[in-house]
Amino acid sequence: MSRLFGTDGVRGLANRDITAELALDLAVAAARVLGEKGEFAGHRPSAVVGRDPRASGEFLAAATVAGLASAGVDVYDAGVLPTPAIAYLTADLNVDLGVMISASHNPMPDNGIKFFSRGGFKLPDATEDAIAGSLRADWQRPTGAAVGRAKTLPGGGERYVEHLLGAVPAPLDGLHVVLDAAHGAASEVGPEVFRRAGARVTVIGAEPDGLNINDGYGSTHLGHLRVMVAQVGADMGLAFDGDADRCLAVDASGQVVDGDQIMAILALDLKERGVLRGDTLVATVMSNLGMLQAMEREGVNVLQTSVGDRYVLEEMKSGDFSLGGEQSGHVIMLDHATTGDGVLTGLTLAARVASTGKSLADLAACMTRLPQFLLNVDGVDKNAVDSNETVQAAVVTVEQELAGTGRILLRKSGTEPVVRVMVEAATAQHAEDVAHRLAAVVRTELAL
């Protein structure tokens, strides 16, 4: 059986896969498992719950709060805030559990539930599996005064904004930035913190109505941002996703600056400031070969993990490293955050532009991206991609064809029912041709 939890919590179609009943049951099971592990020993347990603006988040958050309170946990309802804000508040409020209701960059009909342990870190796989195994189990529930109490958390957004302002390495005075909030969770706090950091801010995609999150705006739809940057003559543009744990950028000419380029810029910034611990950047196997080559030239070691920010974070914590992330723009700056934080990433990137006086395009030129093509193959058994002999033989054949001038990666998605086919090659056309050839083999061999 596949795990209930993916690489970023439990996610699916709201009110079909992710129901109010499931949210309540997961909340109860999480409280029970943590209690049995001794996490609540000696004190009355507490939690903070937040959500992105999706309409379904309203009933899912209510169900989560109800489940936690029924299990004897006092709950602070923080309302609409970015995922990294809930992670921060989990640590800042010193509560036992944080819960975020969001499907991040997914379309509006989807939603998800992710948990943070005390300190603001995502739960380990074993704890998530224990929660899944405890769903709907009989147990002795609290009664009377032992049931949890629920109340609204005032000022959660301001606490998060103050935290971000304390992490900005340089003022943004004189910088004109366009922000695209994806009609998501950073629609208020994103523009607020950039203005208070000194930037002139033009805002798009910041009118959430519960139905328009990620719809044509945000880090997965950069068209509006590119147009607006050119239209207002801004120095740069930044796009968050629905829950603002990601950030991608656009330079003054409208060229996209992806997560690999952002990580390269930030790695050199942190190294120059003497705070890139171990002179090491942690990335995933999806990172572009051009970024790896650039970091090698600059004396920065790159450690690569499986895809998923949780695996990047595990490597960062085990090696005591300060910077890691993914090509998607999910960047973790462990000195200031326990998870990917798109607003923090954007602030630090903008501060680098402001402090150096260089354009974002000049800074991004520290690496040259090898042409990369990515295909998603759906309608297949994604769990068989690593074991199918024909598929693996096709990969070996193409690797021999590329002969060290490119790279191939086939993997099952951790958040969607697809196999991802990624190819890097000397030319864009070659990468696309190879990707389509491999995708055809996957589609034929793994068809459901």
Side-chain angles (χ1 to χ4, degrees):
M1 292 179 60
S2 60
R3 296 182 72 235
L4 175 64
F5 285 83
T7 55
D8 199 24
V10 182
R11 193 178 296 185
L13 181 61
N15 222 25
R16 294 284 181 85
D17 305 316
I18 309 298
T19 62
E21 293 87 347
L22 178 62
L24 189 147
D25 290 339
L26 279 170
V28 170
R32 180 187 178 191
V33 166
L34 292 178
E36 291 175 348
K37 287 170 61 69
E39 300 291 335
F40 304 157
H43 67 279
R44 186 176 172 94
S46 57
V48 60
V49 175
R51 63 181 179 88
D52 71 24
R54 292 166 212 264
S56 60
E58 297 168 6
F59 73 78
L60 290 171
T64 301
V65 170
L68 290 170
S70 76
V73 179
D74 291 334
V75 187
Y76 296 101
D77 187 346
V80 174
L81 282 177
T83 288
I86 299 304
Y88 169 72
L89 289 171
T90 301
D92 191 50
L93 296 170
N94 197 31
V95 297
D96 300 285
L97 185 66
V99 189
M100 181 67 185
I101 310 299
S102 175
S104 192
H105 60 283
N106 283 29
M108 184 279 294
D110 289 349
N111 218 324
I113 304 168
K114 64 184 83 175
F115 294 97
F116 296 100
S117 63
R118 177 178 288 276
F121 291 100
K122 289 182 180 178
L123 296 179
D125 288 354
T127 303
E128 288 182 340
D129 289 341
I131 292 171
S134 297
L135 283 178
R136 305 176 188 91
D138 291 331
W139 67 300
Q140 193 67 36
R141 296 170 182 262
T143 59
V147 301
R149 306 295 296 272
K151 59 183 177 181
T152 300
L153 175 68
E158 177 61 22
R159 293 172 81 132
Y160 175 58
V161 167
E162 290 288 347
H163 159 67
L164 291 174
L165 289 171
V168 182
L172 308 187
D173 298 345
L175 206 61
H176 185 184
V177 181
V178 179
L179 295 182
D180 180 351
H183 296 304
S187 292
E188 291 187 13
V189 298
E192 173 71 12
V193 71
F194 270 84
R195 291 190 183 105
R196 286 166 61 175
R200 176 186 171 197
V201 181
T202 299
V203 184
I204 63 174
E207 299 177 4
D209 61 9
L211 307 177
N212 59 359
I213 189 170
N214 298 320
D215 187 7
Y217 287 83
S219 61
T220 53
H221 305 280
L222 296 174
H224 290 294
L225 181 63
R226 298 176 71 180
V227 169
M228 185 58 71
V229 167
Q231 184 175 314
V232 302
D235 297 295
M236 60 189 296
L238 298 167
F240 311 127
D241 63 342
D243 69 337
D245 64 353
R246 299 186 185 195
C247 174
L248 291 181
V250 169
D251 68 22
S253 68
Q255 291 298 306
V256 175
V257 178
D258 71 8
D260 282 337
Q261 292 168 296
I262 291 172
M263 286 191 291
I265 294 168
L266 297 188
L268 298 182
D269 175 29
L270 268 60
K271 186 172 188 289
E272 184 178 300
R273 292 193 276 130
V275 291
L276 183 68
R277 290 198 295 279
D279 284 342
T280 295
L281 167 66
V282 181
T284 76
V285 292
M286 288 292 288
S287 277
N288 194 278
L289 184 58
M291 191 267 279
L292 306 181
Q293 294 169 339
M295 293 297 93
E296 184 178 11
R297 289 195 303 271
E298 298 293 339
V300 175
N301 181 44
V302 180
L303 298 179
Q304 290 184 279
T305 73
S306 299
V307 175
D309 66 290
R310 67 186 305 117
Y311 305 116
V312 172
L313 181 58
E314 286 172 5
E315 185 67 35
M316 292 176 69
K317 289 171 67 178
S318 67
D320 189 30
F321 303 123
S322 51
L323 181 66
E326 299 183 278
Q327 188 184 63
S328 62
H330 199 132
V331 177
I332 303 171
M333 306 185 72
L334 203 50
D335 287 339
H336 304 290
T338 56
T339 188
D341 190 328
V343 182
L344 175 62
T345 299
L347 284 167
T348 310
L349 183 65
R352 180 65 170 172
V353 172
S355 64
T356 61
K358 295 181 179 180
S359 70
L360 180 57
D362 286 341
L363 292 174
C366 68
M367 64 164 279
T368 301
R369 284 185 294 188
L370 203 65
Q372 190 177 77
F373 193 82
L374 178 66
L375 273 177
N376 291 330
V377 185
D378 57 13
V380 296
D381 178 8
K382 69 176 185 178
N383 294 312
V385 66
D386 295 326
S387 58
N388 184 278
E389 293 182 359
T390 302
V391 170
Q392 292 305 312
V395 170
V396 170
T397 298
V398 175
E399 286 176 336
Q400 292 172 344
E401 174 187 320
L402 292 173
T405 63
R407 206 162 58 101
I408 299 164
L409 181 66
L410 264 64
R411 69 175 187 88
K412 62 180 181 180
S413 168
T415 57
E416 300 176 77
V418 300
V419 169
R420 304 198 196 283
V421 180
M422 187 277 284
V423 178
E424 290 173 342
T427 68
Q429 188 60 58
H430 192 191
E432 181 176 352
D433 290 344
V434 170
H436 280 292
R437 278 162 47 197
L438 287 174
V441 175
V442 170
R443 193 171 289 111
T444 299
E445 289 295 318
L446 306 185
L448 293 174

